[in-house]
Amino acid sequence: MKKIFILMVCFFILAASVFAGAQKEEAEVPVTLKFAGWTYDLEKVTENLARYEEWVATEADTPIPGVAVEMDDAGYGEFDTHITTTFAAGGSYDVLYSSDHWLSKWAEAGWVVPLEDHFPEVRNYIQDIAPYSVEAMTYKGKLYGLPYYTDVMYFVYNKKMLADAGIKAPPTTWDEVKEQALKLKKAGITADPMMVGLKAGSWFDEAFFALIYSEGGSLIDKNLNPVFRTDSGPVYDMIEWVKGSINDTKIIPRKVLEMTAVDVQQAFKKGDTAFAIVPGYMIREFNTPGISDVAGQADVAMMPGKSHFTDGYSRMYLMGKSALREEKVKQASWNLIEFMGGETTVDGTKAYHIARRWAIENGLGFSVLSLWNDPEVNKVFSNMGNTEVMKAQKEKAKSKEGISAPWFAEWISLVRTEVQKAIIGEEKTSSVLDTIKKQWVDLKRE
Amino acid sequence: MKRYTKTSIFAYSIILPSLLFIFIFLLFPLLYSISISFRGYKYGVPTGEIVWFRNFVDIFTKETVAPGFYESLLVTLKFTVSAVIAVVVISLTIALLIKERCITSTWLKYSLLLPYAIPGVISAVVWNWIYDANFGVLNGVLFKLGLIKDYVGITSNPGLALWAILFAYVWKFVPASTYIFSAGLATIPDSVYEAAQMDGAGTFRTFFKITIPSLMPVLQLVLVMQTIFALVMHFGLVFVLTQGGPGSRTRTLAWLVYMESFTYTRFGRGTAMAIILALIMVVFIYVYLVLLNPERQIERKGGR
Amino acid sequence: MLLLSTISRRKKIKRVIVICLSVIFLIYILSPIYWVIISGFQKEAALEDRPPHFIPKKEIVTSNHYHFLFTGDIPPDSTLMLQSMYTMSGTLVYPAIINSLIIALFVTFINFMLGFPAGHVFARYRFWADKKIFLLMLATRLLPSISIVIPMYILLNKAGLLDTKFALICIYTAITLPFTIWILKAYFKNIPPAFEEAARIDGCGYFKMMAKVVLPLAMPGIIAALIFAFMTSYGEFVFATILTQTIASKTQTAVLAALAQGMSTSRGMIAAAATLSFLPPLVLAVIFRKHVLAGVCINLKI
């Protein structure tokens, strides 16, 4: 017994010393920026931040020595929650990632500041950024950030599987998708011919809007009023189509309800499925040998449906309210945003260094128009799939409707649950649509 | 009388630090949470307005904006009742198996330490990997046995999702109550069983006539504990495994509190809902204490 | 004779049923742990095989996942795809476990320093409002943590204690103390006070008596209570995930839950991380198994 006791005491002393040591480590730095991003290739992000620290002390227009960046990360699915809890309790970040559907909420709450109020020069970027991306970064007429990456949802298919089943061309309507999928299923080529990630998380929104847009559907108009019919029309038809595909024809496995776009990507690489709806940056991996079991078989087709439209989304860098605490911090934060999302001179060359790096090394999409002139970038994207189709699809991309409403983030998370309810047949599609319409109206009234 | 005061001063000087901890870090936040539940919030920022009971009224009446309260109440009750029954039945069975003193008894007894010691969320992570729709081992086993042809979703199956959570939950919470039942069984003297055997009572008869009545106080303890646990401790599992889906099939009250507070950022309403959850818990416990209190039963009989 | 043989046959059948049931339960209890440990040692590509390798062959066994968790070195033999699956948050697992251990050890220590005398006082002395205070303390155990996490968040932020180990230590102490006191009170009730009285008569002071007489007698109960406090604070999730932001205070539960939520993260790495995370309490429970079992039984004598 005594031994155990002595052992325990030793433990505590050890723990106490470790604890005390850990508290002392913080070194004094003139400017410390707090930066928040979601978990994606953190190694590269950390590298970029280190490069920024170097750059801002030397090459920046107004050099600030001794800037250190502290990064926090949270999963993409939890990111909004993480930011919300931080700011709601009075905390803040100086620079942070955001997605188009959170900006309005954060801006309305005053957590992020309009960049152009403090740094009017940011407007110079507008002419070099695709309009839909600018729109996504604008709230109440003011520009809030610079782009991290932007992409659209593509309809991807497996050429070889289609050929094996004797199908000559990829589908152009959802009925054709069904027809071909059944053919694939019958031929025993794949049991789950189509996948689209419908897990009730952040990727749901992208997939849902892509499906709705493809059929020419529309949810919310410019004046923030709901415009969809609840008993018929493209929105209703599309939900019914997905429901039927999962429950009746079983061309979509029910497990898509627990899959995100990333899970769909993995399934496609594994050769589990013939059709998939995924964000553009994922396509590169499909055709890369060693990464994918179906390398060389994947290709992009226009989104099936009546209008072939798809969802285009933007992720961006914003400035948090705490950046305004000091002139120096404010300047350093702007420098960081410009370094990450804008055009800067690093090692003597002027370029969109970070956006370019993401595009070349990770295949992330971009909304900076001049990057298309970059031969290296162009090469990467032409290797991905049918460039013509991708360009055409990009032109037929719309950003999510209603994102300019600060209640959008709350509404869309209600929609996820409701639409899932319709898909599993817990409630009728029409009553689900009624509910989400009512929710929008009620939230707007508040 | 004077001694009593002196003892009191001494006793309080010893327990004061503990009381301070509990007051500052549990009771004070609780009182504060009541004040939060009376406030209005918009996008996570207090509006500065005291709304009194509107948050509570909203929960019960505004089905559109505060969605799914009744639904999740039902899911919670369904889960709690089945979890308590499952845990009690399984742990009592295992306790009886351990009592049989077979070769397997010691194995059972000590292997239960593993799920007991594993933190709840880590067990959720483990089960998440087991249930995985694309590469999970449960799918693998079913596939190998020829029960399925292709890997299927388990936590996305509306009919299975809640039970998948329950299965993982039971795994984690059976050990503690098994040990309690074991200890309870050990207090029943062997002579009672021998006497019953002499009278020719069968296994089942002995179980219902002797084991269960003697276990009453233990059973009460297990029921109270398990109910408290089942009402909230599934949170980690829901968080990792289903996030309330598919649809609202696993959206329990604890998860709804989390969603209201941290996804919809309505701290007032979320806190109000948490208070309702705590009240439900109190009701449950009170019912058990009244229904199962052996002393009270004896009193009642004596009164007659 | 006939009667005896039927009885013995009945006993045999009973035995078979008992063993069969036991084996089924053993599989239920042990297989998840077996599988997660085995997964942590398998190559990523092997984990994606259908059906999986229930008993891994030599050529798919690897320690790369563990290597990565400790060093952050991405396995050199892995393909490009696998490299992208090793998120850097995997390297947080080890420091997070250390955080959890530090927090849990502190909580255990404070529990000992405060709970031990408090449990003794509740068991031995009658004083003003003693029963009420005790009940109130027990009642706090019933509070769902999700209902106080929001006010806690706001309060801690006001105090500038958000994202510190200190805050978690205090909260976990408050959560575990009532239970520790409850267990110890019950334990002291079973020790006759004669020893203490004798010590007092011999002229022992209060603190000397506690250290020399009470502590050795109560050791098994104390260990049981402290192990429980350790496990509770080590495995707590709701506070840990909401009140922490950086690795300065993130505990293993928060890191693991985030890792499991992460998209396209190496499954072998998650399995290895989970194994590492549950190792400390598991080892503790196995070493002190007698005390753990005894601790559960103390509950019975309320």
Side-chain angles (χ1 to χ4, degrees), chain B residues 105-174:
Chain B
S105 297
T106 335
W107 272 89
L108 263 180
K109 193 164 144 194
Y110 288 119
S111 65
L112 280 174
L113 277 172
L114 306 178
Y116 181 73
I118 291 179
V121 178
I122 307 301
S123 81
V125 172
V126 171
W127 283 98
N128 190 38
W129 168 221
I130 291 172
Y131 289 150
D132 192 287
N134 289 321
F135 308 108
V137 70
L138 186 58
N139 265 315
V141 171
L142 295 175
F143 182 77
K144 187 101 179 171
L145 293 175
L147 294 174
I148 49 170
K149 268 191 279 167
D150 297 289
Y151 277 32
V152 292
I154 291 160
T155 51
S156 57
N157 187 322
L160 282 180
L162 194 65
W163 308 122
I165 289 181
L166 186 82
F167 198 66
Y169 175 88
V170 166
W171 182 80
K172 166 75 187 137
F173 283 88
V174 147

Side-chain angles (χ1 to χ4, degrees), chain A residues 329-387:
Chain A
V329 177
K330 194 171 120 182
Q331 185 63 41
S333 303
W334 160 243
N335 282 348
L336 177 57
I337 293 177
E338 198 174 23
F339 182 81
M340 298 298 243
E343 196 174 22
T344 49
T345 311
V346 181
D347 299 332
T349 45
K350 197 168 180 200
Y352 288 89
H353 286 283
I354 306 297
R356 184 170 174 271
R357 183 168 186 206
W358 284 124
I360 292 173
E361 293 179 19
N362 294 48
L364 296 193
F366 48 86
S367 52
V368 180
L369 301 171
S370 58
L371 265 184
W372 282 114
N373 305 332
D374 191 307
E376 225 176 310
V377 173
N378 246 323
K379 204 181 123 206
V380 168
F381 280 80
S382 56
N383 281 344
M384 268 167 46
N386 191 329
T387 347

Side-chain angles (χ1 to χ4, degrees), chain B residues 219-233:
Chain B
L219 193 65
Q220 181 188 343
L221 182 79
V222 171
L223 283 177
V224 171
M225 268 176 47
Q226 284 306 321
T227 310
I228 299 169
F229 289 162
L231 278 169
V232 287
M233 296 292 233

Side-chain angles (χ1 to χ4, degrees), chain B residues 72-84:
Chain B
S72 62
L73 193 64
L74 222 65
V75 174
T76 312
L77 290 182
K78 194 169 154 192
F79 180 83
T80 305
V81 171
S82 9
V84 171

Side-chain angles (χ1 to χ4, degrees), chain B residues 37 60 98 111 138 175 198 271 279:
Chain B
S37 72
F60 289 107
I98 291 174
S111 65
L138 186 58
M198 292 290 217
T271 314
L279 288 178

